[in-house]
């Protein structure tokens, strides 16, 4: 139903906001560590991170190891 669709997209945008907040606090954090903080699967977190990257909100600088996240666009609130 459209009601569950709205709920999951609301949850996913909340999740994205939480991920951005977590990255702001620790740019060197891993997806697995974010998943533990949010009590989510790392697969779910990686999916959200991929969407954030596609939206141009975050980017990864450096390699897989020793790299860090950069917040590209902060929503004007």
């Amino acid at each position: 139903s459209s009601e569950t669709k709205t709920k999951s997209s609301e949850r996913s945008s909340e999740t994205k906001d939480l991920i951005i907040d977590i990255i702001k606090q620790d740019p060197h954090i891993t997806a697995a560590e974010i998943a533990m903080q949010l009590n989510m699967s790392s697969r779910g977190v990686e999916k959200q991170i991929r969407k954030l990257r596609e939206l141009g909100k975050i980017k990864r600088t450096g390699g897989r190891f020793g790299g860090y996240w950069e917040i590209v666009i902060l929503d004007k609130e």
Side-chain angles (χ1 to χ4, degrees):
S1 73
S2 66
E3 197 175 296
T4 42
K5 189 128 184 79
T6 311
K7 286 272 185 294
S8 81
S9 72
E10 278 172 23
R11 196 174 330 119
S12 109
S13 82
E14 275 172 36
T15 304
K16 287 189 194 79
D17 292 343
L18 289 169
I19 290 172
I20 288 176
D21 288 341
I22 291 169
I23 288 172
K24 276 186 214 161
Q25 290 162 24
D26 179 7
H28 295 92
I29 196 161
T30 64
E33 289 167 332
I34 293 171
M36 284 189 334
Q37 282 191 36
L38 295 179
N39 197 17
M40 277 177 71
S41 67
S42 49
R43 180 107 182 83
V45 169
E46 284 164 13
K47 216 167 166 180
Q48 296 296 333
I49 286 174
R50 188 168 59 246
K51 286 187 183 148
L52 284 167
R53 291 173 83 164
E54 285 168 6
L55 291 166
K57 293 191 181 245
I58 62 173
K59 68 177 184 187
R60 185 79 180 163
T61 301
R64 261 182 86 101
F65 300 99
Y68 59 93
W69 294 104
E70 275 186 71
I71 311 291
V72 180
I73 298 168
L74 296 173
D75 293 331
K76 310 281 182 284
E77 287 183 48

